[in-house]
Amino acid sequence: MSPANISTIPAAPSTARRYGFGTLAIHAGAEADPATGAVIPALSLSTTFKQRAVGDFSYEYSRSGNPNRSNLEAAVAALEHAKHAFAFSSGSATTATVLNMLTPGSHVISVDDVYGGTHRYLHKVASSVGVETTFVDLAEAGSLRGAVRENTRLVWIETPTNPTLRLVDIAAVAEEAHAAGLLVVVDNTFLSPYFQTPLDLGADIVVHSATKYLNGHSDVVMGVAATNDDAVAAKLRFLQNAIGAVPAPFDCYQAQRGLKTLHLRMRQHAVNAQRVAEFLEASPLVDSVIYPGLESHPQHALAVRQMRGFGGMVSFRIRGDTNTADRFLQRTQLFTLAESLGGVESLAELPARMTHAALDPAVRAGLGITDNLIRLSVGVEDPDDLVDDVAQALESAVAENKRPVSATR
Protein backbone atom coordinates (compact mmCIF):
# COMPACT_ATOMS: atom_id res chain seq x y z
CA MET A 1 0.00 0.00 0.00
CA SER A 2 1.39 3.38 -0.97
CA PRO A 3 1.79 6.31 1.47
CA ALA A 4 -1.00 8.11 -0.35
CA ASN A 5 -3.37 5.25 0.34
CA ILE A 6 -2.38 4.95 3.99
CA SER A 7 -3.34 8.56 4.65
CA THR A 8 -6.92 7.83 3.59
CA ILE A 9 -7.45 4.64 5.62
CA PRO A 10 -10.89 4.99 7.27
CA ALA A 11 -11.35 5.02 11.01
CA ALA A 12 -12.21 1.82 12.82
CA PRO A 13 -15.64 0.67 11.67
CA SER A 14 -18.39 1.47 14.14
CA THR A 15 -20.48 -1.57 13.04
CA ALA A 16 -23.65 -1.24 15.16
CA ARG A 17 -22.24 1.82 16.87
CA ARG A 18 -23.60 5.20 15.87
CA TYR A 19 -20.31 7.06 15.62
CA GLY A 20 -16.95 6.63 13.88
CA PHE A 21 -13.57 6.22 15.52
CA GLY A 22 -12.54 9.87 15.70
CA THR A 23 -15.87 10.92 17.17
CA LEU A 24 -15.68 8.20 19.82
CA ALA A 25 -12.07 9.10 20.64
CA ILE A 26 -13.12 12.66 21.40
CA HIS A 27 -16.52 12.14 23.03
CA ALA A 28 -16.62 8.70 24.70
CA GLY A 29 -16.21 9.05 28.45
CA ALA A 30 -16.11 12.84 28.13
CA GLU A 31 -19.58 14.07 28.94
CA ALA A 32 -19.92 17.64 30.16
CA ASP A 33 -19.93 18.07 33.95
CA PRO A 34 -23.64 18.11 35.00
CA ALA A 35 -22.93 20.40 37.97
CA THR A 36 -20.78 23.07 36.32
CA GLY A 37 -21.30 22.53 32.62
CA ALA A 38 -17.54 22.15 32.12
CA VAL A 39 -16.93 20.65 28.68
CA ILE A 40 -13.73 18.95 29.87
CA PRO A 41 -14.29 16.71 32.93
CA ALA A 42 -12.50 18.03 35.99
CA LEU A 43 -9.45 16.37 37.55
CA SER A 44 -10.60 14.51 40.66
CA LEU A 45 -7.68 14.08 43.09
CA SER A 46 -9.73 13.05 46.12
CA THR A 47 -8.84 9.66 47.59
CA THR A 48 -12.21 9.25 49.30
CA PHE A 49 -15.81 10.23 48.55
CA LYS A 50 -18.82 11.27 50.62
CA GLN A 51 -21.53 8.63 50.80
CA ARG A 52 -25.21 9.60 50.58
CA ALA A 53 -25.95 6.99 53.24
CA VAL A 54 -24.07 3.95 54.48
CA GLY A 55 -23.27 1.91 51.39
CA ASP A 56 -24.98 4.38 49.06
CA PHE A 57 -22.35 5.98 46.84
CA SER A 58 -21.13 6.52 43.29
CA TYR A 59 -17.47 6.34 44.32
CA GLU A 60 -16.06 5.06 47.58
CA TYR A 61 -12.25 5.06 47.52
CA SER A 62 -9.92 5.98 44.67
CA ARG A 63 -8.23 2.57 44.46
CA SER A 64 -11.64 1.04 43.83
CA GLY A 65 -12.81 3.73 41.42
CA ASN A 66 -12.20 7.32 40.39
CA PRO A 67 -14.10 9.59 37.97
CA ASN A 68 -11.07 10.19 35.75
CA ARG A 69 -10.28 6.49 35.56
CA SER A 70 -13.90 5.68 34.75
CA ASN A 71 -13.88 8.24 31.93
CA LEU A 72 -10.69 6.80 30.43
CA GLU A 73 -11.95 3.24 30.73
CA ALA A 74 -15.18 4.18 28.97
CA ALA A 75 -13.22 5.73 26.11
CA VAL A 76 -10.92 2.71 25.72
CA ALA A 77 -13.89 0.33 25.77
CA ALA A 78 -15.60 2.31 23.01
CA LEU A 79 -12.51 2.29 20.79
CA GLU A 80 -11.76 -1.41 21.31
CA HIS A 81 -15.42 -2.38 20.71
CA ALA A 82 -15.55 -3.74 24.27
CA LYS A 83 -18.19 -3.79 27.01
CA HIS A 84 -15.59 -3.40 29.75
CA ALA A 85 -12.18 -1.77 30.12
CA PHE A 86 -9.77 -1.48 33.04
CA ALA A 87 -6.81 0.85 33.56
CA PHE A 88 -3.66 -0.11 35.44
CA SER A 89 -0.51 1.63 36.58
CA SER A 90 1.60 0.21 33.72
CA GLY A 91 1.53 -2.25 30.87
CA SER A 92 3.46 -4.70 33.03
CA ALA A 93 0.87 -4.33 35.81
CA THR A 94 -1.81 -5.12 33.24
CA THR A 95 0.04 -8.27 32.20
CA ALA A 96 0.49 -9.34 35.83
CA THR A 97 -3.17 -8.73 36.67
CA VAL A 98 -4.47 -10.67 33.67
CA LEU A 99 -2.20 -13.61 34.47
CA ASN A 100 -3.30 -13.48 38.12
CA MET A 101 -6.66 -14.80 36.90
CA LEU A 102 -4.90 -18.16 36.55
CA THR A 103 -4.46 -20.59 39.42
CA PRO A 104 -1.22 -22.40 40.36
CA GLY A 105 -0.69 -25.39 38.09
CA SER A 106 -1.99 -23.57 35.01
CA HIS A 107 -0.21 -23.55 31.69
CA VAL A 108 0.09 -20.65 29.24
CA ILE A 109 1.01 -20.71 25.57
CA SER A 110 2.72 -17.50 24.43
CA VAL A 111 3.93 -16.39 21.04
CA ASP A 112 7.71 -16.82 21.15
CA ASP A 113 8.63 -13.40 19.79
CA VAL A 114 7.04 -11.50 22.66
CA TYR A 115 7.97 -8.21 24.37
CA GLY A 116 10.96 -8.71 26.68
CA GLY A 117 9.03 -7.54 29.75
CA THR A 118 6.23 -10.03 29.08
CA HIS A 119 8.77 -12.82 28.55
CA ARG A 120 10.47 -11.86 31.82
CA TYR A 121 7.18 -11.95 33.75
CA LEU A 122 6.09 -15.29 32.30
CA HIS A 123 9.52 -16.90 32.64
CA LYS A 124 10.63 -15.57 36.03
CA VAL A 125 7.56 -14.39 37.95
CA ALA A 126 4.56 -16.44 36.83
CA SER A 127 6.67 -19.59 36.96
CA SER A 128 7.52 -18.92 40.61
CA VAL A 129 3.83 -19.13 41.55
CA GLY A 130 3.17 -22.32 39.58
CA VAL A 131 2.12 -20.96 36.18
CA GLU A 132 4.18 -22.54 33.40
CA THR A 133 4.62 -21.09 29.91
CA THR A 134 5.49 -22.64 26.56
CA PHE A 135 6.75 -20.19 23.94
CA VAL A 136 5.60 -21.14 20.45
CA ASP A 137 6.01 -19.76 16.95
CA LEU A 138 2.40 -18.97 16.06
CA ALA A 139 2.97 -17.95 12.45
CA GLU A 140 0.78 -20.97 11.68
CA ALA A 141 -2.29 -21.30 13.90
CA GLY A 142 -2.02 -25.09 13.76
CA SER A 143 1.18 -24.87 15.82
CA LEU A 144 -1.03 -24.28 18.83
CA ARG A 145 -2.39 -27.81 18.85
CA GLY A 146 0.91 -29.46 19.64
CA ALA A 147 1.49 -27.18 22.63
CA VAL A 148 -1.93 -27.55 24.32
CA ARG A 149 -1.94 -29.53 27.54
CA GLU A 150 -4.68 -30.66 29.88
CA ASN A 151 -3.89 -27.72 32.18
CA THR A 152 -3.51 -25.06 29.45
CA ARG A 153 -5.76 -22.10 30.21
CA LEU A 154 -4.65 -19.13 28.12
CA VAL A 155 -2.95 -18.14 24.86
CA TRP A 156 -0.95 -14.89 24.78
CA ILE A 157 -0.56 -13.20 21.39
CA GLU A 158 1.38 -10.12 20.39
CA THR A 159 0.89 -8.95 16.82
CA PRO A 160 2.89 -7.38 15.35
CA THR A 161 5.58 -8.77 17.62
CA ASN A 162 8.30 -6.71 19.25
CA PRO A 163 10.79 -6.08 17.68
CA THR A 164 10.73 -8.33 14.59
CA LEU A 165 7.18 -7.35 13.56
CA ARG A 166 5.97 -10.88 12.89
CA LEU A 167 2.22 -11.27 12.62
CA VAL A 168 -0.19 -13.76 14.16
CA ASP A 169 -3.52 -14.56 12.51
CA ILE A 170 -5.77 -13.63 15.43
CA ALA A 171 -8.96 -15.13 14.04
CA ALA A 172 -7.28 -18.45 13.18
CA VAL A 173 -5.54 -18.77 16.54
CA ALA A 174 -8.71 -17.77 18.40
CA GLU A 175 -10.64 -20.50 16.58
CA GLU A 176 -8.04 -23.11 17.54
CA ALA A 177 -7.83 -21.85 21.13
CA HIS A 178 -11.58 -21.69 21.68
CA ALA A 179 -11.97 -25.23 20.35
CA ALA A 180 -9.70 -26.26 23.22
CA GLY A 181 -11.55 -24.08 25.74
CA LEU A 182 -8.75 -21.52 26.11
CA LEU A 183 -8.84 -17.76 26.63
CA VAL A 184 -7.06 -15.62 24.05
CA VAL A 185 -5.24 -12.43 25.05
CA VAL A 186 -3.88 -10.06 22.38
CA ASP A 187 -1.36 -7.32 23.09
CA ASN A 188 -2.47 -4.58 20.69
CA THR A 189 0.12 -2.00 21.74
CA PHE A 190 1.92 -1.69 18.39
CA LEU A 191 -1.19 -0.92 16.33
CA SER A 192 -3.75 0.63 18.70
CA PRO A 193 -7.49 0.11 18.12
CA TYR A 194 -7.33 2.52 15.20
CA PHE A 195 -5.54 -0.07 13.05
CA GLN A 196 -6.65 -3.33 14.71
CA THR A 197 -9.50 -4.43 17.00
CA PRO A 198 -8.67 -7.95 18.26
CA LEU A 199 -11.99 -8.49 20.02
CA ASP A 200 -13.71 -8.29 16.64
CA LEU A 201 -11.38 -11.05 15.44
CA GLY A 202 -12.20 -13.45 18.27
CA ALA A 203 -9.87 -12.44 21.12
CA ASP A 204 -11.27 -12.57 24.66
CA ILE A 205 -9.05 -9.86 26.15
CA VAL A 206 -7.06 -7.07 24.52
CA VAL A 207 -4.26 -5.36 26.43
CA HIS A 208 -2.10 -2.30 25.81
CA SER A 209 0.82 -0.52 27.26
CA ALA A 210 -1.11 2.75 27.17
CA THR A 211 2.23 4.46 27.75
CA LYS A 212 2.75 4.07 24.02
CA TYR A 213 0.28 5.04 21.27
CA LEU A 214 -2.87 5.44 23.36
CA ASN A 215 -1.36 8.26 25.41
CA GLY A 216 1.06 9.16 22.63
CA HIS A 217 3.12 11.87 24.31
CA SER A 218 5.73 9.95 26.36
CA ASP A 219 4.57 11.47 29.65
CA VAL A 220 2.35 8.78 31.21
CA VAL A 221 3.11 5.19 32.28
CA MET A 222 -0.09 3.11 32.14
CA GLY A 223 -1.72 -0.08 30.90
CA VAL A 224 -5.26 -1.08 29.94
CA ALA A 225 -7.24 -4.27 29.36
CA ALA A 226 -10.61 -4.61 27.62
CA THR A 227 -13.07 -7.47 27.15
CA ASN A 228 -16.62 -8.36 26.15
CA ASP A 229 -16.73 -11.36 28.50
CA ASP A 230 -18.70 -10.51 31.66
CA ALA A 231 -17.07 -13.29 33.71
CA VAL A 232 -13.58 -12.18 32.70
CA ALA A 233 -14.54 -8.58 33.46
CA ALA A 234 -15.70 -9.53 36.96
CA LYS A 235 -12.34 -11.20 37.66
CA LEU A 236 -10.36 -8.26 36.29
CA ARG A 237 -12.43 -5.76 38.29
CA PHE A 238 -11.84 -7.74 41.47
CA LEU A 239 -8.10 -8.05 40.83
CA GLN A 240 -7.78 -4.40 39.85
CA ASN A 241 -9.08 -3.47 43.28
CA ALA A 242 -7.47 -6.31 45.24
CA ILE A 243 -3.97 -5.91 43.80
CA GLY A 244 -4.34 -2.15 43.56
CA ALA A 245 -2.01 -1.48 40.63
CA VAL A 246 -4.14 1.45 39.49
CA PRO A 247 -3.11 4.67 37.73
CA ALA A 248 -3.28 8.09 39.35
CA PRO A 249 -6.20 10.37 38.40
CA PHE A 250 -3.84 12.85 36.73
CA ASP A 251 -2.36 10.11 34.55
CA CYS A 252 -5.87 9.06 33.50
CA TYR A 253 -6.69 12.69 32.71
CA GLN A 254 -3.54 12.98 30.59
CA ALA A 255 -4.06 9.66 28.83
CA GLN A 256 -7.62 10.49 27.89
CA ARG A 257 -6.46 13.82 26.48
CA GLY A 258 -3.92 11.92 24.37
CA LEU A 259 -6.56 9.44 23.25
CA LYS A 260 -8.59 12.25 21.67
CA THR A 261 -6.01 12.62 18.88
CA LEU A 262 -5.22 8.92 18.43
CA HIS A 263 -6.83 8.70 14.98
CA LEU A 264 -4.92 11.75 13.73
CA ARG A 265 -1.59 10.58 15.12
CA MET A 266 -1.87 6.99 13.90
CA ARG A 267 -2.54 8.12 10.34
CA GLN A 268 0.65 10.19 10.30
CA HIS A 269 2.70 7.54 12.11
CA ALA A 270 1.76 5.10 9.32
CA VAL A 271 2.46 7.55 6.50
CA ASN A 272 5.88 8.39 7.95
CA ALA A 273 6.78 4.77 8.72
CA GLN A 274 5.96 3.73 5.15
CA ARG A 275 8.23 6.48 3.80
CA VAL A 276 11.10 5.51 6.09
CA ALA A 277 10.67 1.78 5.38
CA GLU A 278 10.66 2.31 1.61
CA PHE A 279 13.80 4.43 1.85
CA LEU A 280 15.58 1.81 3.95
CA GLU A 281 14.55 -1.01 1.62
CA ALA A 282 16.10 0.83 -1.32
CA SER A 283 19.35 1.60 0.51
CA PRO A 284 22.48 -0.48 -0.21
CA LEU A 285 23.57 0.32 3.37
CA VAL A 286 20.82 -1.88 4.81
CA ASP A 287 20.72 -5.69 4.88
CA SER A 288 16.98 -6.09 5.49
CA VAL A 289 13.89 -4.13 6.46
CA ILE A 290 10.88 -5.38 8.43
CA TYR A 291 7.62 -3.47 8.06
CA PRO A 292 4.19 -5.03 7.43
CA GLY A 293 3.37 -2.31 4.91
CA LEU A 294 6.11 -3.49 2.55
CA GLU A 295 5.19 -6.15 0.01
CA SER A 296 8.49 -7.83 0.91
CA HIS A 297 7.17 -8.59 4.40
CA PRO A 298 6.49 -12.35 4.38
CA GLN A 299 3.07 -11.81 5.97
CA HIS A 300 2.05 -8.72 4.03
CA ALA A 301 -1.14 -10.43 2.81
CA LEU A 302 -2.17 -11.15 6.41
CA ALA A 303 -1.42 -7.55 7.34
CA VAL A 304 -3.73 -6.30 4.59
CA ARG A 305 -6.47 -8.70 5.68
CA GLN A 306 -6.22 -8.29 9.47
CA MET A 307 -5.13 -4.67 9.93
CA ARG A 308 -6.55 -1.35 8.76
CA GLY A 309 -3.05 0.16 8.54
CA PHE A 310 0.52 -0.87 9.20
CA GLY A 311 1.51 1.25 12.19
CA GLY A 312 4.54 3.33 13.04
CA MET A 313 7.15 0.70 13.96
CA VAL A 314 9.97 -0.21 11.57
CA SER A 315 12.89 -2.56 12.24
CA PHE A 316 15.95 -2.98 10.03
CA ARG A 317 19.35 -4.62 9.99
CA ILE A 318 22.09 -2.15 9.19
CA ARG A 319 24.95 -3.36 6.99
CA GLY A 320 27.62 -4.04 9.59
CA ASP A 321 27.82 -5.17 13.19
CA THR A 322 26.86 -3.89 16.63
CA ASN A 323 29.47 -1.13 16.35
CA THR A 324 27.88 0.08 13.12
CA ALA A 325 24.49 0.08 14.82
CA ASP A 326 25.97 2.04 17.73
CA ARG A 327 27.30 4.69 15.38
CA PHE A 328 23.96 5.01 13.61
CA LEU A 329 22.12 5.47 16.89
CA GLN A 330 24.56 8.11 18.08
CA ARG A 331 24.41 10.10 14.85
CA THR A 332 20.69 10.49 14.27
CA GLN A 333 19.49 13.99 15.05
CA LEU A 334 15.71 13.56 15.08
CA PHE A 335 15.49 9.91 16.12
CA THR A 336 16.34 9.96 19.83
CA LEU A 337 18.24 6.99 21.25
CA ALA A 338 15.78 5.81 23.89
CA GLU A 339 13.58 2.88 24.87
CA SER A 340 9.77 2.96 24.57
CA LEU A 341 7.73 3.86 21.49
CA GLY A 342 4.48 5.36 20.27
CA GLY A 343 5.10 8.99 21.15
CA VAL A 344 4.80 11.88 18.73
CA GLU A 345 8.60 12.10 18.64
CA SER A 346 10.75 9.56 16.78
CA LEU A 347 12.83 7.12 18.81
CA ALA A 348 15.45 4.50 17.95
CA GLU A 349 16.96 1.65 19.94
CA LEU A 350 19.06 -1.52 19.73
CA PRO A 351 16.84 -4.36 21.06
CA ALA A 352 19.67 -6.87 21.58
CA ARG A 353 21.31 -4.57 24.11
CA MET A 354 18.32 -2.60 25.36
CA THR A 355 14.69 -3.79 25.46
CA HIS A 356 15.54 -7.48 24.90
CA ALA A 357 18.94 -7.64 26.62
CA ALA A 358 17.56 -9.89 29.36
CA LEU A 359 16.79 -12.68 26.89
CA ASP A 360 19.24 -15.54 26.62
CA PRO A 361 21.59 -14.82 23.66
CA ALA A 362 20.62 -18.10 21.99
CA VAL A 363 16.93 -17.23 22.30
CA ARG A 364 17.55 -13.77 20.86
CA ALA A 365 19.43 -15.26 17.93
CA GLY A 366 16.67 -17.77 17.28
CA LEU A 367 14.12 -14.96 17.15
CA GLY A 368 16.21 -12.93 14.72
CA ILE A 369 17.09 -10.21 17.25
CA THR A 370 20.59 -9.76 15.91
CA ASP A 371 23.21 -7.30 17.13
CA ASN A 372 22.66 -5.11 14.06
CA LEU A 373 18.83 -5.03 14.33
CA ILE A 374 17.64 -1.48 14.97
CA ARG A 375 14.07 -0.67 15.98
CA LEU A 376 12.55 2.67 14.98
CA SER A 377 9.46 4.23 16.49
CA VAL A 378 8.61 6.62 13.68
CA GLY A 379 7.01 9.79 15.01
CA VAL A 380 4.80 12.40 13.39
CA GLU A 381 7.45 14.90 12.35
CA ASP A 382 7.78 15.97 8.71
CA PRO A 383 8.48 12.74 6.78
CA ASP A 384 11.14 14.33 4.56
CA ASP A 385 13.11 15.36 7.64
CA LEU A 386 12.91 11.84 9.08
CA VAL A 387 14.13 10.23 5.86
CA ASP A 388 16.98 12.76 5.63
CA ASP A 389 17.97 12.02 9.23
CA VAL A 390 18.07 8.27 8.64
CA ALA A 391 20.02 8.79 5.41
CA GLN A 392 22.77 10.90 6.94
CA ALA A 393 23.17 8.60 9.97
CA LEU A 394 23.32 5.52 7.71
CA GLU A 395 25.95 6.98 5.43
CA SER A 396 28.12 8.12 8.33
CA ALA A 397 27.82 4.88 10.32
CA VAL A 398 28.37 2.41 7.47
CA ALA A 399 31.17 4.42 5.86
CA GLU A 400 33.41 3.66 8.84
CA ASN A 401 33.03 -0.08 8.24
CA LYS A 402 35.41 0.35 5.31
CA ARG A 403 38.08 2.33 7.12
CA PRO A 404 41.26 0.81 8.54
CA VAL A 405 41.04 0.30 12.31
CA SER A 406 43.64 3.04 12.91
CA ALA A 407 41.48 5.56 11.08
CA THR A 408 38.55 5.07 13.42
CA ARG A 409 40.46 5.76 16.61
Side-chain angles (χ1 to χ4, degrees), residues 274-352:
Q274 187 80 27
R275 284 281 306 279
V276 170
E278 289 175 354
F279 168 79
L280 289 168
E281 189 170 50
S283 173
L285 308 179
V286 172
D287 283 339
S288 61
V289 185
I290 313 170
Y291 182 63
L294 295 175
E295 292 185 5
S296 58
H297 190 289
Q299 296 170 295
H300 178 69
L302 174 59
V304 171
R305 184 173 79 248
Q306 178 167 276
M307 297 146 55
R308 292 181 292 275
F310 306 122
M313 302 301 297
V314 177
S315 293
F316 73 98
R317 294 182 178 89
I318 195 168
R319 180 146 297 178
D321 55 17
T322 188
N323 296 317
T324 316
D326 266 340
R327 290 194 296 269
F328 173 88
L329 293 167
Q330 291 169 27
R331 294 173 188 180
T332 52
Q333 297 171 354
L334 295 178
F335 283 86
T336 300
L337 174 56
E339 295 190 2
S340 199
L341 59 103
V344 292
E345 68 289 324
S346 294
L347 303 176
E349 65 115 2
L350 192 63

Side-chain angles (χ1 to χ4, degrees), residues 141-190:
S143 302
L144 194 68
R145 295 175 215 158
V148 174
R149 303 177 186 174
E150 189 175 320
N151 61 336
T152 305
R153 298 290 179 266
L154 182 147
V155 178
W156 192 282
I157 298 172
E158 188 176 296
T159 181
T161 60
N162 180 7
T164 58
L165 304 178
R166 297 177 186 172
L167 306 183
V168 176
D169 188 329
I170 298 171
V173 169
E175 184 177 358
E176 291 279 351
H178 291 158
L182 311 179
L183 286 175
V184 176
V185 181
V186 177
D187 186 336
N188 201 30
T189 297
F190 266 33

Side-chain angles (χ1 to χ4, degrees), residues 40-77:
I40 302 301
L43 176 61
S44 177
L45 296 175
S46 184
T47 60
T48 190
F49 301 86
K50 181 180 178 179
Q51 300 189 16
R52 292 177 287 272
V54 175
D56 180 11
F57 54 83
S58 298
Y59 293 95
E60 176 187 22
Y61 184 63
S62 229
R63 171 171 45 78
S64 304
N66 171 277
N68 296 113
R69 195 169 88 217
S70 295
N71 291 342
L72 173 64
E73 290 172 341
V76 170

Side-chain angles (χ1 to χ4, degrees), residues 95 98-100 102-138 144 146-149 151-157 359 363:
T95 298
V98 169
L99 291 171
N100 260 282
L102 305 179
T103 57
S106 297
H107 174 245
V108 173
I109 298 171
S110 171
V111 62
D112 56 353
D113 188 13
V114 73
Y115 165 57
T118 303
H119 187 282
R120 178 176 57 234
Y121 187 87
L122 289 167
H123 182 60
K124 295 187 176 181
V125 181
S127 61
S128 69
V129 292
V131 175
E132 188 181 357
T133 303
T134 301
F135 296 93
V136 177
D137 181 351
L138 292 176
L144 194 68
V148 174
R149 303 177 186 174
N151 61 336
T152 305
R153 298 290 179 266
L154 182 147
V155 178
W156 192 282
I157 298 172
L359 292 182
V363 173

Side-chain angles (χ1 to χ4, degrees), residues 204-285:
D204 300 292
I205 305 172
V206 58
V207 298
H208 290 264
S209 171
T211 309
K212 314 307 193 293
Y213 287 111
L214 295 191
N215 177 61
H217 292 81
S218 302
D219 54 9
V220 168
V221 174
M222 188 184 295
V224 296
T227 184
N228 282 315
D229 187 310
D230 293 340
V232 168
K235 291 180 182 178
L236 288 175
R237 186 175 292 108
F238 172 79
L239 291 170
Q240 182 189 47
N241 183 52
I243 297 173
V246 295
F250 183 70
D251 286 349
C252 293
Y253 180 94
Q254 288 281 87
Q256 188 172 10
R257 184 174 69 169
L259 205 61
K260 291 176 185 293
T261 59
L262 180 63
H263 54 302
L264 305 176
R265 291 185 283 106
M266 293 309 297
R267 290 173 193 163
Q268 196 60 45
H269 281 300
V271 168
N272 289 1
Q274 187 80 27
R275 284 281 306 279
V276 170
E278 289 175 354
F279 168 79
L280 289 168
E281 189 170 50
S283 173
L285 308 179

